[in-house]
Amino acid sequence: MALITVGTMAFDAIETPFGKTDKIIGGSATYVAYAASNFVTPVQQISIVGYDFPQEEMDELKSRGVELDGVEIVPDKKSFFWSGKYHIDMNTRDTLVTDLNVLADFNPVVPESFQGAEFLMLGNLMPKLQLSVINQLKVRPKLIVMDTMNFWMDIAMDDLKEVLKKVDVLLVNDGEARQLSGELSLVKAARKIMEMGPAFLIIKKGEHGALLFHESHVFFAPALPLEEVFDPTGAGDTFAGGFIGHLAKTKDISFDNMKTAIIIGSAMASFCVEKFGPERLKEITKEDIDARLSEFVQLVNFDIDLV
Amino acid sequence: MALITVGTMAFDAIETPFGKTDKIIGGSATYVAYAASNFVTPVQQISIVGYDFPQEEMDELKSRGVELDGVEIVPDKKSFFWSGKYHIDMNTRDTLVTDLNVLADFNPVVPESFQGAEFLMLGNLMPKLQLSVINQLKVRPKLIVMDTMNFWMDIAMDDLKEVLKKVDVLLVNDGEARQLSGELSLVKAARKIMEMGPAFLIIKKGEHGALLFHESHVFFAPALPLEEVFDPTGAGDTFAGGFIGHLAKTKDISFDNMKTAIIIGSAMASFCVEKFGPERLKEITKEDIDARLSEFVQLVNFDIDLV
């Protein structure tokens, strides 16, 4: 029941209205792995780091069932570094620094030991690299989930559309869904995007929750109303990790099970934002996750008699 | 089981990205009445109109069980008129014209025949007038729901806070909740606002749904993802009408029943935005409402096993 995840493992420096960090651990694949490994192991990681990525972090991931055979370590270069500053509303941010470093040379290679994985999470990454991973797999996974972002729509839309044809689920935010489809209405945008390839589309709306579209069906998962969002970095990746982790655990890729998976993704994301970086994800237990899931049930549960 | 509604009955001229109207029927009390009368009668209306408000509209309301004894008709003045233009995202709008006309002299008088009503809906109106209606009631209603807006926070905050002490449920949007409380976090804002008086707070987030707060509980109701929002005018009032209409029908003002009431309010609002003005609300049948409620159940319903 292996899950392959592809994405960045990196350093971030983050400034929010609540505080500021020096370089801390980040990267899309890091967050996906911390979230997904609560539900399924092994998580088979494909990424690239420099000489400066800490061994303790690798050990921590390994101890959670994350296999790092697919993580290339470049001995003479630094890891990818991103620095950003969130605005007061926490929904928007400015990028201060992007040092590609090792990422400039990333050419993901799927280790032989990862062949046969049934689930594939393509974290936010250059579309050509996402496609390369798909093409290296000898057996098509049962489910391919793809995350992407507006940056790739700006500079590599054609490549992105090639990947779209090969994936089952696409994850984007509302602005990206509008950009990709050219439609303002999310319902219309969803229809157009599903025509591009993915049978399922998840539109993330941050503090406003997430929508799952499939054929003519739609499901809405709220975000938990939080007293404070401390640091939103990685929340989307954590959501993705919880989502695909649950699907891989249950081996059920029906629309109904995806509803549950989205609630689980939302619950994991709600932990992520409580502290800087993946710190909170390292602390939580299965009991914490269960308690959070119960809050979600309370949040949206209602009885209705028709009029 | 009477429900008193207080608010405006007016003319609106609306421009949206989808079209433009001349003067059409509008006003907070009008929308509340059209929505609530699907669930409870009589709806006892308190408002003021000029010589130009059409008799057919009055007749239409009466035929739905709306009692108009509390609607003052001023023979030599025009009805309140508002004109606005929505921006492309439909979430923001510019006011083009506000002609108070009869509203400048509005001094609501509760008819003797309305005394004893168990439910009171204070539509968006000058806080002093909302307070006057509360003070005229010889027996306090079982439930008082208050709608208001940022405009009154800007010019009549002290009066508004007086009314807040006397109501059970406050309805505001997210921006207004932040303005009223001085808190950015809606969870913190909710706590502060409930300390000002209302035991229940509903924060409306437009296309992003609505939150219900009570003590330490929170409930979230989504908005239905619509292909097109044609005209958002009156959606908030329609929501309020559906909400209090259901509570008045069931006579149950528990938190659990308010959850249901919010879903019903959301369903009614989802009809309202489909056409200009209250037009769509006049067309719909109980079957339409039931079908829409079933869509809401589908939209948020999920099964979960704890991890």
Side-chain angles (χ1 to χ4, degrees):
Chain A
M1 208 39 43
L3 160 65
I4 296 178
T5 70
V6 189
T8 56
M9 297 176 73
F11 288 113
D12 293 336
I14 300 156
E15 199 176 329
T16 79
F18 302 104
K20 199 175 164 172
T21 65
D22 285 330
K23 273 185 175 184
I24 58 169
I25 297 297
S28 61
T30 312
Y31 284 103
V32 169
Y34 274 117
S37 57
N38 284 287
F39 306 96
V40 67
T41 55
V43 173
Q44 300 179 318
Q45 193 93 327
I46 298 178
S47 190
I48 189 168
V49 297
Y51 63 83
D52 53 352
F53 201 82
Q55 187 59 43
E56 312 87 75
E57 194 67 23
M58 300 286 206
D59 294 342
E60 176 75 31
L61 285 165
K62 269 188 210 160
S63 76
R64 291 163 184 264
V66 182
E67 294 180 356
L68 301 173
D69 311 50
V71 179
E72 184 185 348
I73 303 173
V74 182
D76 59 347
K77 285 197 174 170
K78 288 186 167 185
S79 301
F80 174 50
F81 173 68
W82 175 83
S83 167
K85 182 178 174 172
Y86 287 87
H87 300 165
I88 182 75
D89 71 355
M90 297 293 250
N91 288 324
T92 50
R93 66 187 186 189
D94 295 325
T95 289
L96 303 177
V97 181
T98 306
D99 287 339
L100 284 180
N101 300 325
V102 294
L103 207 59
D105 312 317
F106 189 28
N107 186 16
V109 175
V110 178
E112 193 54 36
S113 61
F114 288 10
Q115 292 290 349
E118 287 188 84
F119 290 83
L120 172 61
M121 176 70 228
L122 298 169
N124 176 35
L125 202 65
M126 198 184 302
K128 262 192 199 307
L129 302 185
Q130 294 178 317
L131 194 61
S132 154
V133 170
I134 294 175
N135 289 336
Q136 289 175 57
L137 296 175
K138 293 170 191 164
V139 181
R140 191 197 189 274
K142 190 174 164 123
L143 190 80
I144 304 179
V145 180
M146 172 194 190
D147 194 8
T148 190
M149 70 183 295
N150 53 355
F151 180 71
W152 305 116
M153 296 175 194
D154 293 337
I155 68 163
M157 185 64 111
D158 288 347
D159 292 341
L160 196 155
K161 287 188 173 170
E162 280 308 303
V163 192
L164 275 181
K165 290 180 191 163
K166 307 207 166 199
V167 306
D168 303 299
V169 184
L170 175 68
L171 288 166
V172 284
N173 69 30
D174 42 359
E176 290 156 355
R178 292 186 170 112
Q179 180 173 356
L180 183 55
S181 64
E183 292 285 348
L184 201 61
S185 150
L186 292 181
V187 176
K188 287 186 180 177
R191 199 178 301 138
K192 272 203 179 175
I193 292 170
M194 288 189 289
E195 282 168 9
M196 297 177 187
F200 298 87
L201 171 68
I202 296 173
I203 299 181
K204 300 172 290 182
K205 304 196 296 172
E207 61 165 327
H208 300 304
L211 291 163
L212 167 67
F213 293 91
H214 175 56
E215 294 171 353
S216 63
H217 308 295
V218 56
F219 172 70
F220 176 83
L224 204 65
L226 294 169
E227 195 143 328
E228 267 165 16
V229 171
F230 192 79
D231 171 21
T233 310
D237 305 312
T238 303
F239 175 93
F243 173 75
I244 200 165
H246 172 76
L247 296 177
K249 174 191 174 189
T250 54
K251 301 195 212 182
D252 173 358
I253 58 172
S254 67
F255 182 73
D256 269 350
N257 198 41
M258 284 198 194
K259 291 178 178 184
T260 307
I262 283 193
I263 296 290
I264 288 172
S266 301
M268 297 310 293
S270 76
F271 286 118
C272 176
V273 303
E274 290 179 341
K275 291 196 174 176
F276 273 125
E279 198 179 335
R280 186 75 180 117
L281 296 178
K282 297 185 194 178
E283 297 170 354
I284 54 170
T285 63
K286 288 211 185 299
E287 289 68 37
D288 293 325
I289 297 172
D290 276 349
R292 190 59 57 96
L293 289 175
S294 298
E295 287 187 60
F296 272 86
V297 173
Q298 287 305 311
L299 183 63
V300 296
N301 206 26
F302 64 91
D303 290 321
I304 210 154
D305 294 320
L306 300 185
V307 298
Chain B
M1 206 39 43
L3 160 66
I4 296 179
T5 69
V6 189
T8 55
M9 297 174 73
F11 289 111
D12 292 338
I14 300 158
E15 199 175 329
T16 80
F18 302 105
K20 199 175 166 174
T21 64
D22 285 331
K23 274 185 173 185
I24 57 170
I25 297 296
S28 60
T30 310
Y31 284 102
V32 168
Y34 274 117
S37 57
N38 284 287
F39 306 96
V40 67
T41 55
V43 174
Q44 300 178 318
Q45 192 94 325
I46 298 179
S47 190
I48 189 168
V49 296
Y51 63 84
D52 52 352
F53 200 81
Q55 186 59 42
E56 311 87 76
E57 195 66 25
M58 300 286 207
D59 293 342
E60 176 74 34
L61 286 164
K62 270 188 207 160
S63 76
R64 291 162 185 265
V66 182
E67 294 179 357
L68 301 173
D69 312 50
V71 179
E72 185 184 348
I73 302 172
V74 183
D76 60 347
K77 285 198 173 169
K78 287 187 168 185
S79 301
F80 174 49
F81 172 69
W82 174 83
S83 166
K85 181 178 175 172
Y86 287 87
H87 301 164
I88 182 75
D89 71 355
M90 297 293 251
N91 287 322
T92 50
R93 65 186 185 189
D94 295 324
T95 289
L96 303 177
V97 180
T98 307
D99 287 338
L100 287 179
N101 300 326
V102 293
L103 207 59
D105 312 317
F106 189 29
N107 186 17
V109 176
V110 178
E112 193 54 36
S113 60
F114 288 9
Q115 291 291 349
E118 287 189 83
F119 290 83
L120 171 61
M121 177 69 229
L122 298 168
N124 176 35
L125 202 66
M126 198 186 301
K128 263 192 198 308
L129 301 186
Q130 294 178 317
L131 194 62
S132 154
V133 169
I134 296 175
N135 289 337
Q136 289 175 57
L137 296 175
K138 293 170 190 165
V139 181
R140 189 193 189 279
K142 187 174 166 127
L143 189 81
I144 303 180
V145 179
M146 173 194 189
D147 194 7
T148 190
M149 69 183 295
N150 53 355
F151 181 71
W152 307 116
M153 296 176 192
D154 293 337
I155 68 163
M157 184 65 109
D158 288 348
D159 292 341
L160 196 156
K161 287 188 173 170
E162 279 309 304
V163 191
L164 275 182
K165 290 180 191 163
K166 308 208 167 198
V167 306
D168 303 298
V169 184
L170 175 69
L171 288 166
V172 284
N173 70 29
D174 42 0
E176 290 156 355
R178 293 189 169 109
Q179 180 174 356
L180 184 55
S181 65
E183 293 285 351
L184 202 60
S185 150
L186 292 181
V187 177
K188 289 186 179 176
R191 198 178 301 136
K192 272 204 179 173
I193 292 171
M194 288 189 288
E195 283 168 8
M196 297 177 185
F200 300 87
L201 171 67
I202 296 172
I203 299 182
K204 298 173 289 181
K205 305 197 295 173
E207 61 166 327
H208 300 304
L211 291 162
L212 168 67
F213 292 91
H214 175 57
E215 293 170 354
S216 64
H217 308 295
V218 57
F219 172 70
F220 177 83
L224 203 65
L226 293 170
E227 194 142 329
E228 266 164 19
V229 170
F230 192 79
D231 171 22
T233 310
D237 305 312
T238 303
F239 175 94
F243 174 75
I244 200 165
H246 172 75
L247 296 177
K249 173 191 173 190
T250 54
K251 301 195 212 185
D252 172 358
I253 58 172
S254 67
F255 181 72
D256 269 348
N257 198 41
M258 283 197 195
K259 292 179 177 184
T260 307
I262 283 191
I263 296 290
I264 289 172
S266 301
M268 297 309 293
S270 76
F271 284 118
C272 176
V273 303
E274 291 179 341
K275 291 197 175 177
F276 273 124
E279 197 180 337
R280 185 74 179 119
L281 296 178
K282 297 185 194 177
E283 297 170 353
I284 55 171
T285 61
K286 288 209 186 301
E287 288 67 37
D288 292 325
I289 297 172
D290 276 348
R292 190 59 56 98
L293 289 174
S294 298
E295 287 189 60
F296 272 85
V297 172
Q298 287 306 310
L299 183 63
V300 297
N301 205 27
F302 65 90
D303 289 320
I304 211 154
D305 294 319
L306 300 186
V307 299

